[in-house]
Amino acid sequence: MADRKRGRGGSDHGGRGGGGGGGFKKAAPEPTGPFGLIFQGYATALDAKALTRDNVIKANRDIGADAKKLIFLLHRVSVPGADRAAILEEAEAAIGALSAQCASLLNELAGVEYWRLHHSWTGGVQELLEGLSFYWYLKEDGALITMEQAQAMLGGFPLTPEDFLLGVSDLTGELMRHATNLLNRGDV
């Protein structure tokens, strides 16, 4: 079959590239000469940056997921017969754990260009700010949290005004859900 088209990888093995190697990579040859050593240094630096980025993305996912759990927990205050004080106490413990996750994220970002990786961690932090603002709203009888209060609750995690505003802006959806739940319950 001489006229068989090649796959994306340039091989005749179903477009998977490499063909038949069982997924094993060949060991990289040892660098030789001055340029080889220079490029080995570049490769090491790039690998370290990629590892940091991957760790930041994982921390972002974890913070976002736990922030969603916080929001779901807070919505239990509108369930008939719910113990509001106990739910808010449980939420405080969850916020403490999230604050520790933010501290871990900050440690991961230490020594790197902090803002270069902003896109990798902003989503989880915004979700967390949504949960914090909802918690504050419930705890403080309708008050809106300030950026300084949010930073204090997160152990000084450096928030950007944009992240803060976007997180607080998402509060509107939670307030709508909360109001709907209260209406269904007959409390409004």
Side-chain angles (χ1 to χ4, degrees):
M1 247 183 175
D3 61 342
R4 184 174 162 200
K5 292 186 178 182
R6 292 180 182 257
R8 295 176 76 194
S11 70
D12 287 334
H13 302 285
R16 292 192 180 122
F24 295 105
K25 291 184 177 181
K26 292 182 182 178
E30 288 296 318
T32 57
F35 291 117
L37 294 175
I38 290 171
F39 283 108
Q40 183 181 25
Y42 291 151
T44 301
L46 288 173
D47 287 345
K49 283 184 178 184
L51 179 62
T52 298
R53 181 178 171 273
D54 289 346
N55 289 341
V56 166
I57 289 170
K58 182 186 179 315
N60 174 61
R61 261 194 323 262
D62 293 345
I63 289 170
D66 289 346
K68 284 188 183 299
K69 290 176 186 174
L70 171 66
I71 292 167
F72 293 141
L73 167 67
L74 290 169
H75 275 295
R76 288 187 3 215
V77 299
S78 58
V79 173
D83 184 356
R84 181 184 181 99
I87 291 171
L88 292 176
E89 188 176 313
E90 191 177 340
E92 281 184 42
I95 290 168
L98 283 160
S99 178
Q101 287 178 302
C102 285
S104 176
L105 172 61
L106 201 53
N107 286 338
E108 191 66 45
L109 292 168
V112 298
E113 294 169 339
Y114 183 77
W115 302 110
R116 187 170 285 225
L117 293 174
H118 181 255
H119 66 281
S120 297
W121 58 263
T122 185
V125 170
Q126 288 176 20
E127 191 72 29
L128 173 54
L129 288 166
E130 178 183 356
L132 276 179
S133 60
F134 189 38
Y135 165 79
W136 194 266
Y137 176 86
L138 294 172
K139 180 183 171 219
E140 300 296 327
D141 295 322
L144 190 61
I145 194 168
T146 67
M147 187 167 161
E148 293 77 22
Q149 291 165 331
Q151 281 181 311
M153 290 180 77
L154 296 178
F157 187 84
L159 301 173
T160 65
E162 294 84 7
D163 288 336
F164 175 74
L165 289 173
L166 289 169
V168 171
S169 295
D170 286 342
L171 173 63
T172 58
E174 302 312 325
L175 292 178
M176 181 179 63
R177 180 182 298 155
H178 180 63
T180 302
N181 289 342
L182 291 176
L183 189 67
N184 287 337
R185 190 171 100 173
D187 283 355
V188 177

